[in-house]
């Protein structure tokens, strides 16, 4: 979740918060474009899911908001960090000091679909 918040932070010295599609956000956060991990970070994991331990996602925590954009009549769902999300990211970095090491890509491949 911290990687997703970092990807959504405004550029240094700017108050302009980017709105990114799920795929663009996944890549910017260090996941593959089709990764399900981005969904778990944004939307959490419900109780009883085989995806892991239940937890709230960034949207439920109100650290990220969903922004619907209209591009030439086509609606596009994007995600944008909130002020609470910026504070949560800064708190995380103060406590941890650095981002945890990312998992190896091979460990994230679901081999049953290959």
């Amino acid at each position: 979740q911290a990687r997703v918040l970092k990807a959504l932070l405004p550029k240094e010295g700017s108050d302009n918060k980017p709105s990114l599609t799920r795929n663009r956000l996944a890549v910017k956060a260090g996941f593959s474009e089709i990764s399900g991990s981005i969904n778990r970070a944004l939307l959490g994991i419900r109780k009883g899911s085989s995806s892991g331990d239940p937890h709230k996602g960034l949207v439920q925590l109100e650290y990220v908001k969903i922004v619907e954009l209209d591009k030439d009549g086509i609606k596009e769902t994007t995600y944008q960090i909130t002020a609470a999300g910026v504070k949560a990211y800064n708190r995380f970095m103060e406590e941890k000091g650095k981002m945890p090491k990312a998992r190896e890509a091979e460990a994230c491949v679901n081999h049953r679909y290959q």
Side-chain angles (χ1 to χ4, degrees):
Q1 288 180 326
R3 290 181 198 291
V4 174
L5 292 176
K6 182 180 180 183
L8 288 170
L9 287 173
K11 289 187 180 185
E12 188 76 31
S14 172
D15 291 331
N16 186 21
K17 296 174 185 166
S19 290
L20 299 174
T21 63
R22 181 201 158 283
N23 292 18
R24 290 188 63 204
L25 178 55
V27 171
K28 191 170 180 187
F31 303 112
S32 74
E33 189 173 331
I34 60 170
S35 173
S37 297
I38 192 72
N39 289 336
R40 290 187 287 282
L42 289 168
L43 305 175
I45 299 176
R46 63 178 167 69
K47 187 177 179 182
S49 171
S50 63
S51 294
D53 295 331
H55 66 82
K56 290 183 178 181
L58 295 170
V59 173
Q60 289 174 302
L61 294 168
E62 297 182 354
Y63 294 164
V64 171
K65 65 180 178 179
I66 297 173
V67 178
E68 294 287 336
L69 299 178
D70 187 332
K71 293 194 174 188
D72 299 324
I74 299 172
K75 294 202 187 267
E76 184 173 67
T77 301
T78 64
Y79 298 89
Q80 189 176 71
I81 196 167
T82 64
V86 173
K87 287 179 186 174
Y89 174 78
N90 289 334
R91 225 179 12 254
F92 174 85
M93 291 306 290
E94 286 174 11
E95 291 173 10
K96 303 293 182 186
K98 63 180 181 178
M99 197 65 65
K101 186 178 177 186
R103 291 176 63 192
E104 296 292 325
E106 181 58 30
C108 301
V109 174
N110 190 337
H111 295 286
R112 68 182 167 181
Y113 295 115
Q114 293 183 349

